[in-house]
Amino acid sequence: MSTVFTRVINGEIPGRFVWKDERCVGFLSIGPMAPGHTLVVPREEVDVWTDADPDLLQHLITVAQNIGAVMPKTFNAVRAGLMIAGYEIPHLHLHVWPSSSLEDFDLDKVDNNPEPAEMDQAAEKLRAALVEAGHQEFIPEA
């Protein structure tokens, strides 16, 4: 049985994608810690990050770094946070979000009911920033 992330990747469940390549995707979290909170998810179903092929893990980190690099300017933050938790969904994923302090790393502060229009706007801003940063070949249409 496929994970919910596989179903998002396959288009069975809608997602606000900001990155797509042959090995992974990036889409906005439905429970964001901040506007622009993105999940970087491998297409391959890997549960525990320590079980991932090292080349795949490096690719995910590189994609997360590219996405995180545009977040401070795009969302008026000090830097981008990065976390691998792995308890919510049994499919490896990296959380990348705009951050201004350690308080922003509190998963208890997620917005479980984000406004769809605000989510769409955050995805569009992030896609535009990634295109401006030179990653247009990986940026899907809205």
Side-chain angles (χ1 to χ4, degrees):
M1 179 172 198
S2 65
T3 70
V4 67
F5 287 161
T6 300
R7 294 179 67 209
V8 172
I9 291 166
N10 291 339
E12 298 168 28
I13 298 173
R16 289 176 176 87
F17 290 91
V18 299
W19 187 281
K20 286 186 178 181
D21 68 32
E22 69 285 347
R23 299 189 77 189
C24 73
V25 299
F27 52 85
L28 294 192
S29 173
I30 61 169
M33 293 192 286
H37 180 168
T38 300
L39 303 177
V40 177
V41 183
R43 292 179 182 275
E44 177 185 348
E45 289 183 356
V46 177
D47 182 0
V48 181
W49 72 271
T50 54
D51 291 340
D53 176 83
D55 290 335
L56 175 61
L57 194 56
Q58 180 58 53
H59 181 74
L60 298 175
I61 292 289
T62 299
V63 171
Q65 185 177 31
N66 290 332
I67 293 170
V70 302
M71 285 186 168
K73 181 180 175 187
T74 304
F75 296 103
N76 194 30
V78 174
R79 58 183 62 194
L82 175 67
M83 183 183 336
I84 303 173
Y87 293 100
E88 319 87 67
I89 305 291
H91 190 141
L92 170 60
H93 57 287
L94 285 64
H95 294 262
V96 186
W97 72 98
S99 172
S100 293
S101 76
L102 279 176
E103 292 177 6
D104 296 335
F105 283 70
D106 186 352
L107 289 171
D108 289 332
K109 294 182 179 179
V110 301
D111 181 356
N112 288 312
N113 290 306
E115 288 293 325
E118 290 176 12
M119 295 282 289
D120 292 340
Q121 182 182 31
E124 185 53 42
K125 286 173 65 173
L126 192 49
R127 283 190 291 268
L130 288 163
V131 167
E132 186 177 321
H135 303 293
Q136 56 273 5
E137 68 184 286
F138 304 113
I139 312 309
E141 296 290 322

